[in-house]
Amino acid sequence: MKVVYEDESLLKIGKAEDCLIRFKRHKASNPKLKFICFIQTEDLSLETDLHNKYQEFRHSNEWFTYDYSIIEYFQTESKKSNELADTTLNN
């Protein structure tokens, strides 16, 4: 699962087995943190691919300067992921 969430003007792109638990851990040390969305995937290279794709916005490690193109990508892919999950679960 790939997850993105924001802290004021920064976005975090990372991976987690359980994004809710991961988010709660980060939020404990930063109460202003907001969850944006996640992508359900088995693609282990996606995190690295996204870090490379958005390299120009990298602030440090998994944190990126807020840019709408990152949000737009995750919203689009998250929707596809949810539609696929719904189709798979309902058939």
Side-chain angles (χ1 to χ4, degrees):
M1 203 177 303
K2 306 307 176 221
V3 62
V4 63
Y5 38 88
E6 68 177 321
D7 167 17
E8 307 267 327
S9 62
L10 297 176
L11 299 168
K12 183 176 188 315
I13 300 173
K15 61 183 174 186
E17 290 291 323
D18 185 321
C19 61
L20 183 59
I21 290 172
R22 178 84 179 257
F23 175 70
K24 285 180 178 181
R25 286 182 185 148
H26 282 283
K27 190 159 178 79
S29 63
N30 186 350
K32 294 181 181 180
L33 204 61
K34 295 178 187 171
F35 182 82
I36 304 287
C37 60
F38 70 92
I39 300 171
Q40 185 78 33
T41 182
E42 298 297 321
D43 182 356
L44 300 177
S45 66
L46 182 60
E47 181 185 26
T48 301
D49 294 344
L50 291 172
H51 287 186
N52 290 335
K53 178 177 182 171
Y54 297 112
Q55 179 64 35
E56 67 183 287
F57 303 109
R58 187 184 299 266
H59 176 71
S60 65
N61 298 321
E62 295 183 335
W63 291 93
F64 295 78
T65 303
Y66 188 97
D67 185 81
Y68 186 72
S69 66
I70 300 172
I71 299 298
E72 188 174 52
Y73 171 84
F74 267 85
Q75 288 175 336
T76 301
E77 293 303 313
S78 179
K79 184 177 178 183
K80 288 179 192 175
S81 178
N82 291 337
E83 288 171 356
L84 180 60
D86 287 345
T87 302
T88 303
L89 293 172
N90 293 318
N91 288 327

